[in-house]
Amino acid sequence: MSDDAAAAGPRAASLPNRTDAASAASQRADDGIFPIKPVPIAVGLAIFLGLLALPAPEGLSPEGWRVVAVVGLMFAWWITEAIPLPVTALLPVALFPTFGINTVREAAAPFADPVIFLFMGGFLLALAMERWNLHRRVALNILRRTGSRQHNIIGGFMLATALCGMWVSNAATAVMIFPVAMSVAKLIEERGGSSQFPMALMLAVAYAASIGGVTTLIGTPPNAILAGTLNRAYGYDIGFAQWMIMGVPIAAVMLTGTWLILTRLAIRLDRGEIEGADALFRTQLDELGGWTRAEIRVAAIFALTAAAWALRTTITPYVPGLSDASISIFAALALFLTPSGGPNGGALIDWDTAKRLPWNILLLFGGGLSLAGAMASTGLDAWIGDQIGGYASGLPTIGIVLLITLVVLVMTEFTSNTATAAAFVPLFAVLAIGIGENPLLLAFPATLAASMTFMLPVATPPNALVFSSGYFTIGQMAAKGIWVNVLALVVITFMSYWLLITFFGVVVGEVPDWATGGAT
């Protein structure tokens, strides 16, 4: 799953030490120490108090203007990481009731939104896979089938990483694949392979971890933020299978294009075979031994859960009220109730393991949804749409989609992708309505773009992790990554535009009834 340093998932603490800027960011998380940043804190407070002191603009209620002040504070603190991101996400619970925006119950309710429980169950499934090494077995089995040619090895690593990234956080995915990739990189060096192969392999792991996250609703936090925002603000439900109609094709094209960039365009690899690669994968797989009962049972629960998500619309006539969130929690309960079959007894997952849940991500979701709810209830969303609509009306719709995608791609290279999505996805949904378009037309591309971070080590934990290998410089990463960013700009803009029109019933130039009727 593609997310940022503050939402790195359960295994982010495994990131190695580094001496650059990325090292400081990950090391502070490893030590549990978050430095006090007086200047960013003061800037955020100044923006907040300055906006409060100004009168509400014409057409906007005083409550809506107070939401703007809170948004300014949260944006400033999220972008600068003045305090930990999930702590900033708690501000609505404290500030909204204090300034008469809504009640404590209304501000806090989004923290128990169904999307929170959808992710909670997904995280527990990921923890169970990690606990019994199921994810590593799947990855190594894929790599054994790639062959020993350099470009095929790159492709195999990308496929294995992306498949894991569909269900596991991008940081945890990269940490799991990274040791295997390092072993292969050293082997290729010893066997006289291309000097650029190690760099291509490291970048392939990082990029595939981020790309894999866009394929499923639980793949990365921005996906859930979009789903929760649309449901809470407009009563529009995006199902698990419906998301994959959008995510899987875009991820497939991105993976293929990125593979070509890393093996044929930005980097050109020798097509010769590398002696010993197959043996290395086989040895590491043999070290895992045969399938254990625990692995088989986790795999069975995972397969049943994925099938239930994909077939939910078919099942609901027979099980009224079934949702993706309830399926997710059923899976979590099954993990706690199913014996592992090991000599020491116990269930597939225990509470000590469950305590490693990334609660920070869940809080961040809640804060973003609370913010979106206040924007809708005070009329701020409609007012913003009216204000911005005039400026964007001169561009063709596809041009607006392109511009939105470009802005998010640039922002997410420097700021948290989760915070970027939480801050801007609700605004882009409103902007779409303001210019007479379906909210999906702008919000979906913005969400997908938030996960595409390829140029800088500090942009996302997988980038920082592979940078620690020492196989490339920041300049080299930026030079290769910009190719993938351009690919993402083109693919997200045009494929999402086409997929939304073809499969989601989006009509260009038309606001759907669900977007004008408010939350249900």
Side-chain angles (χ1 to χ4, degrees):
M1 202 187 288
S2 178
D3 40 69
D4 45 75
R11 295 185 59 184
S14 302
L15 296 178
N17 293 334
R18 293 175 296 281
T19 58
D20 60 339
S23 175
S26 71
Q27 189 62 46
R28 74 178 179 213
D30 294 344
D31 297 338
I33 298 172
F34 198 98
I36 296 175
K37 299 180 177 179
V39 174
I41 290 173
V43 169
L45 289 174
I47 292 172
F48 175 65
L49 295 174
L51 290 172
L52 281 180
L54 296 174
E58 183 179 355
L60 181 63
S61 67
E63 293 79 13
W65 185 244
R66 292 169 201 154
V67 173
V68 173
V70 176
V71 168
L73 174 61
M74 294 179 72
F75 278 23
W77 282 4
W78 267 337
I79 291 171
T80 62
E81 292 190 64
I83 60 176
L85 299 179
V87 178
T88 299
L90 291 172
L91 285 174
V93 179
L95 296 180
F96 285 175
T98 302
F99 289 93
I101 295 168
N102 56 24
T103 66
V104 173
R105 183 181 297 275
E106 290 168 337
F111 288 84
D113 190 90
V115 75
I116 304 292
F117 293 94
L118 170 65
F119 250 71
M120 184 181 293
F123 286 145
L124 288 169
L125 270 172
L127 286 170
M129 292 173 66
E130 293 175 37
R131 186 184 187 195
W132 302 106
N133 270 325
L134 176 60
H135 58 336
R136 185 174 179 85
R137 184 181 298 278
V138 170
L140 287 170
N141 270 295
I142 292 172
L143 292 172
R144 277 198 59 191
R145 290 161 175 75
T146 61
S148 56
R149 297 183 186 276
Q150 294 182 61
H151 61 286
N152 287 343
I153 293 173
I154 296 288
F157 267 96
M158 293 186 71
L159 179 60
T161 305
L163 287 175
C164 289
M166 294 173 68
W167 315 101
V168 183
S169 79
N170 69 345
T173 297
V175 167
M176 181 268 294
I177 298 289
F178 182 66
V180 183
M182 286 293 289
S183 299
V184 173
K186 291 177 182 176
L187 174 69
I188 300 302
E189 285 185 304
E190 293 170 359
R191 296 292 192 271
S194 169
S195 60
Q196 290 194 307
F197 175 83
M199 174 172 61
L201 181 58
M202 294 299 112
L203 293 176
V205 169
Y207 295 170
S210 295
I211 294 170
V214 307
T215 54
T216 65
L217 190 55
I218 64 168
T220 184
N223 299 358
I225 289 171
L226 173 63
T229 296
L230 293 175
N231 183 271
R232 180 157 292 272
Y234 308 107
Y236 184 85
D237 179 43
I238 297 179
F240 203 91
Q242 190 181 18
W243 182 280
M244 293 182 73
I245 292 173
M246 174 71 72
V248 171
I250 288 178
V253 174
M254 282 297 302
L255 283 172
T256 303
T258 303
W259 175 72
L260 290 173
I261 288 171
L262 293 178
T263 60
R264 295 286 184 271
L265 300 175
I267 301 174
R268 296 180 180 273
L269 296 179
D270 182 6
R271 300 193 181 189
E273 293 194 9
I274 301 300
E275 182 182 352
D278 288 337
L280 176 64
F281 297 144
R282 187 165 50 251
T283 299
Q284 295 204 2
L285 191 57
D286 289 342
E287 290 175 357
L288 292 177
W291 280 74
T292 64
R293 293 175 181 172
E295 284 181 273
I296 294 172
R297 293 170 185 179
V298 170
I301 292 173
F302 175 83
L304 288 172
T305 303
W309 277 330
L311 301 174
R312 178 173 65 85
T313 54
T314 304
I315 299 171
T316 45
Y318 307 98
V319 188
L322 187 68
S323 66
D324 288 336
S326 58
I327 291 170
S328 186
I329 296 302
F330 271 125
L333 292 172
L335 294 171
F336 281 101
L337 293 170
T338 305
S340 66
N344 297 326
L348 291 174
I349 196 169
D350 54 27
W351 188 244
D352 282 341
T353 303
K355 285 190 292 188
R356 294 169 50 212
L357 273 169
W359 301 102
N360 53 350
I361 296 182
L362 301 180
L363 288 176
L364 203 55
F365 288 162
L369 297 179
S370 184
L371 192 61
M375 291 174 63
S377 65
T378 60
L380 174 60
D381 55 357
W383 182 83
I384 292 175
D386 291 339
Q387 301 305 307
I388 301 179
Y391 295 100
S393 59
L395 293 174
T397 303
I398 191 68
I400 298 173
V401 175
L402 181 69
L403 179 61
I404 292 298
T405 303
L406 177 61
V407 168
V408 176
L409 283 172
V410 173
M411 284 287 296
T412 199
E413 289 291 346
F414 301 95
T415 65
S416 151
N417 67 343
T418 306
T420 300
F424 289 103
V425 165
L427 292 180
F428 290 143
V430 170
L431 169 60
I433 296 174
I435 61 175
E437 298 288 355
N438 191 309
L440 298 177
L441 206 53
L442 299 188
F444 238 123
T447 302
L448 296 173
S451 297
M452 302 297 176
T453 54
F454 306 117
M455 291 181 61
L456 299 176
V458 296
T460 187
N463 290 9
L465 178 62
V466 300
F467 181 69
S468 72
S469 68
Y471 281 120
F472 55 87
T473 65
I474 292 178
Q476 289 174 317
M477 186 178 203
K480 314 306 179 188
I482 195 170
W483 286 64
V484 189
N485 270 1
V486 171
L487 174 68
L489 177 64
V490 174
V491 170
I492 291 174
T493 298
F494 294 98
M495 282 196 68
S496 63
Y497 190 83
W498 174 74
L499 289 168
L500 286 168
I501 292 172
T502 305
F503 296 104
F504 285 73
V506 171
V507 178
V508 177
E510 180 179 303
V511 180
D513 292 339
W514 58 261
T516 58
T520 60

